[in-house]
PDB file of all heavy atoms in Angstrom:
ATOM      1  N   LEU Y1360      -3.497  10.003   0.037  1.00 94.00           N
ATOM      2  CA  LEU Y1360      -2.352  10.934  -0.148  1.00 94.00           C
ATOM      3  C   LEU Y1360      -1.244  10.801   0.983  1.00 94.00           C
ATOM      4  O   LEU Y1360      -0.087  10.745   0.749  1.00 94.00           O
ATOM      5  CB  LEU Y1360      -2.832  12.390  -0.218  1.00 94.00           C
ATOM      6  CG  LEU Y1360      -3.959  12.730  -1.151  1.00 94.00           C
ATOM      7  CD1 LEU Y1360      -4.171  14.077  -1.148  1.00 94.00           C
ATOM      8  CD2 LEU Y1360      -3.604  12.179  -2.568  1.00 94.00           C
ATOM      9  N   SER Y1361      -1.778  10.833   2.294  1.00 90.00           N
ATOM     10  CA  SER Y1361      -0.785  10.737   3.386  1.00 90.00           C
ATOM     11  C   SER Y1361      -0.413   9.260   3.801  1.00 90.00           C
ATOM     12  O   SER Y1361       0.489   9.068   4.564  1.00 90.00           O
ATOM     13  CB  SER Y1361      -1.464  11.495   4.515  1.00 90.00           C
ATOM     14  OG  SER Y1361      -2.548  10.741   5.060  1.00 90.00           O
ATOM     15  N   GLY Y1362      -1.134   8.370   3.196  1.00 86.00           N
ATOM     16  CA  GLY Y1362      -0.857   6.993   3.550  1.00 86.00           C
ATOM     17  C   GLY Y1362      -1.598   6.388   4.700  1.00 86.00           C
ATOM     18  O   GLY Y1362      -1.460   5.248   5.114  1.00 86.00           O
ATOM     19  N   VAL Y1363      -2.496   7.230   5.231  1.00 90.00           N
ATOM     20  CA  VAL Y1363      -3.242   6.850   6.426  1.00 90.00           C
ATOM     21  C   VAL Y1363      -4.366   5.895   6.021  1.00 90.00           C
ATOM     22  O   VAL Y1363      -4.479   4.832   6.858  1.00 90.00           O
ATOM     23  CB  VAL Y1363      -3.951   8.107   7.058  1.00 90.00           C
ATOM     24  CG1 VAL Y1363      -4.780   7.655   8.266  1.00 90.00           C
ATOM     25  CG2 VAL Y1363      -2.863   9.064   7.705  1.00 90.00           C
ATOM     26  N   THR Y1364      -4.895   5.981   5.025  1.00 96.00           N
ATOM     27  CA  THR Y1364      -5.967   5.016   4.594  1.00 96.00           C
ATOM     28  C   THR Y1364      -5.627   4.181   3.401  1.00 96.00           C
ATOM     29  O   THR Y1364      -5.063   4.605   2.439  1.00 96.00           O
ATOM     30  CB  THR Y1364      -7.246   5.882   4.164  1.00 96.00           C
ATOM     31  OG1 THR Y1364      -7.581   6.711   5.333  1.00 96.00           O
ATOM     32  CG2 THR Y1364      -8.509   4.843   3.897  1.00 96.00           C
ATOM     33  N   THR Y1365      -5.874   2.889   3.500  1.00 97.00           N
ATOM     34  CA  THR Y1365      -5.582   1.877   2.470  1.00 97.00           C
ATOM     35  C   THR Y1365      -6.782   1.116   2.188  1.00 97.00           C
ATOM     36  O   THR Y1365      -7.696   0.979   2.910  1.00 97.00           O
ATOM     37  CB  THR Y1365      -4.471   1.070   2.955  1.00 97.00           C
ATOM     38  OG1 THR Y1365      -4.759   0.387   4.155  1.00 97.00           O
ATOM     39  CG2 THR Y1365      -3.122   1.797   3.008  1.00 97.00           C
ATOM     40  N   TYR Y1366      -6.852   0.572   0.925  1.00 97.00           N
ATOM     41  CA  TYR Y1366      -7.895  -0.312   0.488  1.00 97.00           C
ATOM     42  C   TYR Y1366      -7.300  -1.552  -0.201  1.00 97.00           C
ATOM     43  O   TYR Y1366      -6.347  -1.400  -0.898  1.00 97.00           O
ATOM     44  CB  TYR Y1366      -8.800   0.488  -0.576  1.00 97.00           C
ATOM     45  CG  TYR Y1366      -9.363   1.802  -0.097  1.00 97.00           C
ATOM     46  CD1 TYR Y1366      -8.736   2.975  -0.063  1.00 97.00           C
ATOM     47  CD2 TYR Y1366     -10.659   1.755   0.398  1.00 97.00           C
ATOM     48  CE1 TYR Y1366      -9.170   4.087   0.353  1.00 97.00           C
ATOM     49  CE2 TYR Y1366     -11.280   3.014   0.916  1.00 97.00           C
ATOM     50  CZ  TYR Y1366     -10.524   4.109   0.912  1.00 97.00           C
ATOM     51  OH  TYR Y1366     -11.161   5.309   1.456  1.00 97.00           O
ATOM     52  N   TYR Y1367      -7.932  -2.561  -0.004  1.00 98.00           N
ATOM     53  CA  TYR Y1367      -7.432  -3.854  -0.596  1.00 98.00           C
ATOM     54  C   TYR Y1367      -8.615  -4.667  -1.210  1.00 98.00           C
ATOM     55  O   TYR Y1367      -9.725  -4.770  -0.731  1.00 98.00           O
ATOM     56  CB  TYR Y1367      -6.815  -4.810   0.610  1.00 98.00           C
ATOM     57  CG  TYR Y1367      -5.581  -4.134   1.063  1.00 98.00           C
ATOM     58  CD1 TYR Y1367      -5.641  -3.389   2.211  1.00 98.00           C
ATOM     59  CD2 TYR Y1367      -4.287  -4.211   0.483  1.00 98.00           C
ATOM     60  CE1 TYR Y1367      -4.529  -2.735   2.742  1.00 98.00           C
ATOM     61  CE2 TYR Y1367      -3.177  -3.666   1.151  1.00 98.00           C
ATOM     62  CZ  TYR Y1367      -3.313  -2.775   2.258  1.00 98.00           C
ATOM     63  OH  TYR Y1367      -2.247  -2.344   2.804  1.00 98.00           O
ATOM     64  N   ALA Y1368      -8.172  -5.497  -2.254  1.00 98.00           N
ATOM     65  CA  ALA Y1368      -9.068  -6.451  -2.800  1.00 98.00           C
ATOM     66  C   ALA Y1368      -9.242  -7.524  -1.744  1.00 98.00           C
ATOM     67  O   ALA Y1368      -8.365  -7.833  -1.010  1.00 98.00           O
ATOM     68  CB  ALA Y1368      -8.490  -7.032  -4.116  1.00 98.00           C
ATOM     69  N   ASP Y1369     -10.367  -8.160  -1.699  1.00 98.00           N
ATOM     70  CA  ASP Y1369     -10.638  -9.223  -0.792  1.00 98.00           C
ATOM     71  C   ASP Y1369      -9.676 -10.396  -0.845  1.00 98.00           C
ATOM     72  O   ASP Y1369      -9.336 -10.879   0.116  1.00 98.00           O
ATOM     73  CB  ASP Y1369     -11.999  -9.720  -0.821  1.00 98.00           C
ATOM     74  CG  ASP Y1369     -13.089  -8.848  -0.411  1.00 98.00           C
ATOM     75  OD1 ASP Y1369     -12.765  -7.848   0.411  1.00 98.00           O
ATOM     76  OD2 ASP Y1369     -14.341  -8.902  -0.766  1.00 98.00           O
ATOM     77  N   SER Y1370      -9.240 -10.622  -2.119  1.00 98.00           N
ATOM     78  CA  SER Y1370      -8.247 -11.697  -2.274  1.00 98.00           C
ATOM     79  C   SER Y1370      -6.850 -11.510  -1.776  1.00 98.00           C
ATOM     80  O   SER Y1370      -6.165 -12.476  -1.671  1.00 98.00           O
ATOM     81  CB  SER Y1370      -8.153 -12.022  -3.834  1.00 98.00           C
ATOM     82  OG  SER Y1370      -7.669 -10.826  -4.549  1.00 98.00           O
ATOM     83  N   VAL Y1371      -6.516 -10.274  -1.404  1.00 98.00           N
ATOM     84  CA  VAL Y1371      -5.272 -10.114  -0.900  1.00 98.00           C
ATOM     85  C   VAL Y1371      -5.119  -9.529   0.549  1.00 98.00           C
ATOM     86  O   VAL Y1371      -4.141  -9.373   1.101  1.00 98.00           O
ATOM     87  CB  VAL Y1371      -4.400  -9.127  -1.723  1.00 98.00           C
ATOM     88  CG1 VAL Y1371      -4.447  -9.563  -3.220  1.00 98.00           C
ATOM     89  CG2 VAL Y1371      -5.006  -7.652  -1.760  1.00 98.00           C
ATOM     90  N   LYS Y1372      -6.394  -9.190   1.113  1.00 98.00           N
ATOM     91  CA  LYS Y1372      -6.412  -8.696   2.410  1.00 98.00           C
ATOM     92  C   LYS Y1372      -5.743  -9.610   3.503  1.00 98.00           C
ATOM     93  O   LYS Y1372      -5.886 -10.862   3.447  1.00 98.00           O
ATOM     94  CB  LYS Y1372      -7.789  -8.553   2.924  1.00 98.00           C
ATOM     95  CG  LYS Y1372      -8.447  -7.291   2.382  1.00 98.00           C
ATOM     96  CD  LYS Y1372      -9.895  -7.201   2.907  1.00 98.00           C
ATOM     97  CE  LYS Y1372     -10.635  -5.887   2.313  1.00 98.00           C
ATOM     98  NZ  LYS Y1372     -12.014  -5.866   2.622  1.00 98.00           N
ATOM     99  N   GLY Y1373      -4.870  -9.026   4.249  1.00 98.00           N
ATOM    100  CA  GLY Y1373      -4.208  -9.824   5.320  1.00 98.00           C
ATOM    101  C   GLY Y1373      -2.880 -10.325   4.821  1.00 98.00           C
ATOM    102  O   GLY Y1373      -2.066 -10.765   5.609  1.00 98.00           O
ATOM    103  N   ARG Y1374      -2.616 -10.283   3.544  1.00 98.00           N
ATOM    104  CA  ARG Y1374      -1.420 -10.841   2.936  1.00 98.00           C
ATOM    105  C   ARG Y1374      -0.551  -9.648   2.218  1.00 98.00           C
ATOM    106  O   ARG Y1374       0.706  -9.835   2.250  1.00 98.00           O
ATOM    107  CB  ARG Y1374      -1.647 -11.912   1.911  1.00 98.00           C
ATOM    108  CG  ARG Y1374      -2.435 -13.131   2.379  1.00 98.00           C
ATOM    109  CD  ARG Y1374      -2.538 -14.203   1.299  1.00 98.00           C
ATOM    110  NE  ARG Y1374      -3.268 -13.750   0.127  1.00 98.00           N
ATOM    111  CZ  ARG Y1374      -2.686 -13.820  -1.097  1.00 98.00           C
ATOM    112  NH1 ARG Y1374      -1.416 -14.178  -1.224  1.00 98.00           N
ATOM    113  NH2 ARG Y1374      -3.441 -13.423  -2.147  1.00 98.00           N
ATOM    114  N   PHE Y1375      -1.176  -8.748   1.715  1.00 98.00           N
ATOM    115  CA  PHE Y1375      -0.425  -7.552   0.957  1.00 98.00           C
ATOM    116  C   PHE Y1375      -0.557  -6.334   1.703  1.00 98.00           C
ATOM    117  O   PHE Y1375      -1.646  -6.240   2.486  1.00 98.00           O
ATOM    118  CB  PHE Y1375      -1.087  -7.364  -0.391  1.00 98.00           C
ATOM    119  CG  PHE Y1375      -0.803  -8.434  -1.377  1.00 98.00           C
ATOM    120  CD1 PHE Y1375      -0.294  -9.756  -0.951  1.00 98.00           C
ATOM    121  CD2 PHE Y1375      -1.055  -8.326  -2.788  1.00 98.00           C
ATOM    122  CE1 PHE Y1375      -0.010 -10.620  -1.936  1.00 98.00           C
ATOM    123  CE2 PHE Y1375      -0.798  -9.278  -3.705  1.00 98.00           C
ATOM    124  CZ  PHE Y1375      -0.331 -10.433  -3.319  1.00 98.00           C
ATOM    125  N   THR Y1376       0.516  -5.506   1.720  1.00 98.00           N
ATOM    126  CA  THR Y1376       0.528  -4.156   2.412  1.00 98.00           C
ATOM    127  C   THR Y1376       1.050  -3.206   1.433  1.00 98.00           C
ATOM    128  O   THR Y1376       2.102  -3.216   0.803  1.00 98.00           O
ATOM    129  CB  THR Y1376       1.379  -4.212   3.665  1.00 98.00           C
ATOM    130  OG1 THR Y1376       0.802  -5.246   4.598  1.00 98.00           O
ATOM    131  CG2 THR Y1376       1.263  -2.809   4.334  1.00 98.00           C
ATOM    132  N   ILE Y1377       0.194  -2.183   1.156  1.00 98.00           N
ATOM    133  CA  ILE Y1377       0.640  -1.044   0.372  1.00 98.00           C
ATOM    134  C   ILE Y1377       1.064   0.134   1.213  1.00 98.00           C
ATOM    135  O   ILE Y1377       0.534   0.386   2.340  1.00 98.00           O
ATOM    136  CB  ILE Y1377      -0.574  -0.536  -0.601  1.00 98.00           C
ATOM    137  CG1 ILE Y1377      -0.044   0.452  -1.553  1.00 98.00           C
ATOM    138  CG2 ILE Y1377      -1.769   0.015   0.222  1.00 98.00           C
ATOM    139  CD1 ILE Y1377      -1.051   0.881  -2.718  1.00 98.00           C
ATOM    140  N   SER Y1378       2.122   0.793   0.705  1.00 98.00           N
ATOM    141  CA  SER Y1378       2.732   1.895   1.478  1.00 98.00           C
ATOM    142  C   SER Y1378       3.296   2.912   0.555  1.00 98.00           C
ATOM    143  O   SER Y1378       3.392   2.590  -0.782  1.00 98.00           O
ATOM    144  CB  SER Y1378       3.751   1.364   2.487  1.00 98.00           C
ATOM    145  OG  SER Y1378       4.848   0.888   1.885  1.00 98.00           O
ATOM    146  N   ARG Y1379       3.590   4.055   0.982  1.00 98.00           N
ATOM    147  CA  ARG Y1379       4.196   5.074   0.172  1.00 98.00           C
ATOM    148  C   ARG Y1379       5.221   5.926   0.755  1.00 98.00           C
ATOM    149  O   ARG Y1379       5.154   6.082   1.982  1.00 98.00           O
ATOM    150  CB  ARG Y1379       3.038   5.947  -0.486  1.00 98.00           C
ATOM    151  CG  ARG Y1379       2.411   6.899   0.470  1.00 98.00           C
ATOM    152  CD  ARG Y1379       1.094   7.510  -0.136  1.00 98.00           C
ATOM    153  NE  ARG Y1379       1.457   8.383  -1.203  1.00 98.00           N
ATOM    154  CZ  ARG Y1379       0.665   8.821  -2.160  1.00 98.00           C
ATOM    155  NH1 ARG Y1379      -0.718   8.403  -2.156  1.00 98.00           N
ATOM    156  NH2 ARG Y1379       0.986   9.680  -3.136  1.00 98.00           N
ATOM    157  N   ASP Y1380       6.155   6.456   0.042  1.00 97.00           N
ATOM    158  CA  ASP Y1380       7.096   7.344   0.568  1.00 97.00           C
ATOM    159  C   ASP Y1380       7.046   8.613  -0.403  1.00 97.00           C
ATOM    160  O   ASP Y1380       7.624   8.513  -1.584  1.00 97.00           O
ATOM    161  CB  ASP Y1380       8.452   6.768   0.491  1.00 97.00           C
ATOM    162  CG  ASP Y1380       9.583   7.728   1.146  1.00 97.00           C
ATOM    163  OD1 ASP Y1380       9.430   8.889   1.204  1.00 97.00           O
ATOM    164  OD2 ASP Y1380      10.667   7.100   1.582  1.00 97.00           O
ATOM    165  N   ASN Y1381       6.436   9.604   0.078  1.00 96.00           N
ATOM    166  CA  ASN Y1381       6.243  10.905  -0.669  1.00 96.00           C
ATOM    167  C   ASN Y1381       7.568  11.606  -1.074  1.00 96.00           C
ATOM    168  O   ASN Y1381       7.670  12.190  -2.121  1.00 96.00           O
ATOM    169  CB  ASN Y1381       5.137  11.774  -0.158  1.00 96.00           C
ATOM    170  CG  ASN Y1381       3.738  11.200  -0.185  1.00 96.00           C
ATOM    171  OD1 ASN Y1381       3.474  10.425  -0.941  1.00 96.00           O
ATOM    172  ND2 ASN Y1381       2.857  11.678   0.734  1.00 96.00           N
ATOM    173  N   ALA Y1382       8.406  11.461  -0.070  1.00 96.00           N
ATOM    174  CA  ALA Y1382       9.762  12.109  -0.464  1.00 96.00           C
ATOM    175  C   ALA Y1382      10.563  11.444  -1.604  1.00 96.00           C
ATOM    176  O   ALA Y1382      11.425  12.113  -2.121  1.00 96.00           O
ATOM    177  CB  ALA Y1382      10.569  12.033   0.900  1.00 96.00           C
ATOM    178  N   LYS Y1383      10.237  10.196  -1.819  1.00 97.00           N
ATOM    179  CA  LYS Y1383      10.798   9.440  -2.846  1.00 97.00           C
ATOM    180  C   LYS Y1383       9.913   9.147  -4.022  1.00 97.00           C
ATOM    181  O   LYS Y1383      10.320   8.490  -5.041  1.00 97.00           O
ATOM    182  CB  LYS Y1383      11.299   8.081  -2.339  1.00 97.00           C
ATOM    183  CG  LYS Y1383      12.343   8.152  -1.264  1.00 97.00           C
ATOM    184  CD  LYS Y1383      12.896   6.775  -0.877  1.00 97.00           C
ATOM    185  CE  LYS Y1383      14.018   6.936   0.251  1.00 97.00           C
ATOM    186  NZ  LYS Y1383      14.448   5.542   0.708  1.00 97.00           N
ATOM    187  N   ASN Y1384       8.720   9.730  -4.053  1.00 97.00           N
ATOM    188  CA  ASN Y1384       7.858   9.492  -5.184  1.00 97.00           C
ATOM    189  C   ASN Y1384       7.642   8.167  -5.418  1.00 97.00           C
ATOM    190  O   ASN Y1384       7.644   7.760  -6.625  1.00 97.00           O
ATOM    191  CB  ASN Y1384       8.173  10.340  -6.387  1.00 97.00           C
ATOM    192  CG  ASN Y1384       7.999  11.879  -6.165  1.00 97.00           C
ATOM    193  OD1 ASN Y1384       7.714  12.319  -5.211  1.00 97.00           O
ATOM    194  ND2 ASN Y1384       8.310  12.595  -7.249  1.00 97.00           N
ATOM    195  N   THR Y1385       7.529   7.267  -4.452  1.00 98.00           N
ATOM    196  CA  THR Y1385       7.520   5.903  -4.625  1.00 98.00           C
ATOM    197  C   THR Y1385       6.364   5.211  -3.749  1.00 98.00           C
ATOM    198  O   THR Y1385       6.182   5.608  -2.645  1.00 98.00           O
ATOM    199  CB  THR Y1385       8.856   5.287  -4.252  1.00 98.00           C
ATOM    200  OG1 THR Y1385       9.844   5.789  -5.073  1.00 98.00           O
ATOM    201  CG2 THR Y1385       8.766   3.688  -4.520  1.00 98.00           C
ATOM    202  N   VAL Y1386       5.609   4.293  -4.388  1.00 98.00           N
ATOM    203  CA  VAL Y1386       4.683   3.424  -3.627  1.00 98.00           C
ATOM    204  C   VAL Y1386       5.164   1.983  -3.759  1.00 98.00           C
ATOM    205  O   VAL Y1386       5.744   1.491  -4.663  1.00 98.00           O
ATOM    206  CB  VAL Y1386       3.356   3.612  -4.403  1.00 98.00           C
ATOM    207  CG1 VAL Y1386       3.322   3.165  -5.867  1.00 98.00           C
ATOM    208  CG2 VAL Y1386       2.201   2.941  -3.572  1.00 98.00           C
ATOM    209  N   TYR Y1387       4.885   1.280  -2.634  1.00 98.00           N
ATOM    210  CA  TYR Y1387       5.347  -0.029  -2.549  1.00 98.00           C
ATOM    211  C   TYR Y1387       4.077  -1.105  -2.330  1.00 98.00           C
ATOM    212  O   TYR Y1387       3.057  -0.657  -1.900  1.00 98.00           O
ATOM    213  CB  TYR Y1387       6.158  -0.173  -1.312  1.00 98.00           C
ATOM    214  CG  TYR Y1387       7.410   0.774  -1.283  1.00 98.00           C
ATOM    215  CD1 TYR Y1387       7.331   1.944  -0.579  1.00 98.00           C
ATOM    216  CD2 TYR Y1387       8.563   0.472  -1.924  1.00 98.00           C
ATOM    217  CE1 TYR Y1387       8.338   2.886  -0.642  1.00 98.00           C
ATOM    218  CE2 TYR Y1387       9.621   1.373  -1.872  1.00 98.00           C
ATOM    219  CZ  TYR Y1387       9.607   2.563  -1.203  1.00 98.00           C
ATOM    220  OH  TYR Y1387      10.646   3.456  -1.241  1.00 98.00           O
ATOM    221  N   LEU Y1388       4.415  -2.280  -2.626  1.00 98.00           N
ATOM    222  CA  LEU Y1388       3.434  -3.382  -2.398  1.00 98.00           C
ATOM    223  C   LEU Y1388       4.284  -4.574  -1.756  1.00 98.00           C
ATOM    224  O   LEU Y1388       4.960  -5.216  -2.509  1.00 98.00           O
ATOM    225  CB  LEU Y1388       2.700  -3.757  -3.559  1.00 98.00           C
ATOM    226  CG  LEU Y1388       1.559  -4.817  -3.270  1.00 98.00           C
ATOM    227  CD1 LEU Y1388       0.409  -4.054  -2.537  1.00 98.00           C
ATOM    228  CD2 LEU Y1388       0.994  -5.258  -4.709  1.00 98.00           C
ATOM    229  N   GLN Y1389       4.116  -4.721  -0.421  1.00 98.00           N
ATOM    230  CA  GLN Y1389       4.689  -5.879   0.232  1.00 98.00           C
ATOM    231  C   GLN Y1389       3.749  -6.987   0.064  1.00 98.00           C
ATOM    232  O   GLN Y1389       2.549  -6.928   0.561  1.00 98.00           O
ATOM    233  CB  GLN Y1389       4.967  -5.643   1.673  1.00 98.00           C
ATOM    234  CG  GLN Y1389       5.472  -6.766   2.422  1.00 98.00           C
ATOM    235  CD  GLN Y1389       6.869  -7.072   2.038  1.00 98.00           C
ATOM    236  OE1 GLN Y1389       7.787  -6.341   1.779  1.00 98.00           O
ATOM    237  NE2 GLN Y1389       7.108  -8.411   1.922  1.00 98.00           N
ATOM    238  N   MET Y1390       4.170  -8.100  -0.459  1.00 98.00           N
ATOM    239  CA  MET Y1390       3.310  -9.323  -0.756  1.00 98.00           C
ATOM    240  C   MET Y1390       3.932 -10.503   0.072  1.00 98.00           C
ATOM    241  O   MET Y1390       4.982 -10.960  -0.260  1.00 98.00           O
ATOM    242  CB  MET Y1390       3.303  -9.572  -2.320  1.00 98.00           C
ATOM    243  CG  MET Y1390       2.784  -8.333  -3.071  1.00 98.00           C
ATOM    244  SD  MET Y1390       2.558  -8.827  -4.824  1.00 98.00           S
ATOM    245  CE  MET Y1390       4.310  -9.340  -5.286  1.00 98.00           C
TER     246      MET Y1390
END
């Protein structure tokens, strides 16, 4: 909810980053 904890599939760990902006109701995936 707050973005403090993230989980990743093993295949993308270290390459992808998930983040969110609750003020914009948006979630991101940097690949």
Side-chain angles (χ1 to χ4, degrees):
L1360 307 187
S1361 63
V1363 171
T1364 304
T1365 55
Y1366 301 85
Y1367 296 95
D1369 288 342
S1370 58
V1371 307
K1372 278 181 183 176
R1374 300 188 298 121
F1375 290 11
T1376 302
I1377 187 171
S1378 61
R1379 66 189 296 162
D1380 185 337
N1381 287 342
K1383 295 182 179 180
N1384 286 4
T1385 301
V1386 61
Y1387 305 96
L1388 187 67
Q1389 177 66 44
M1390 306 187 296

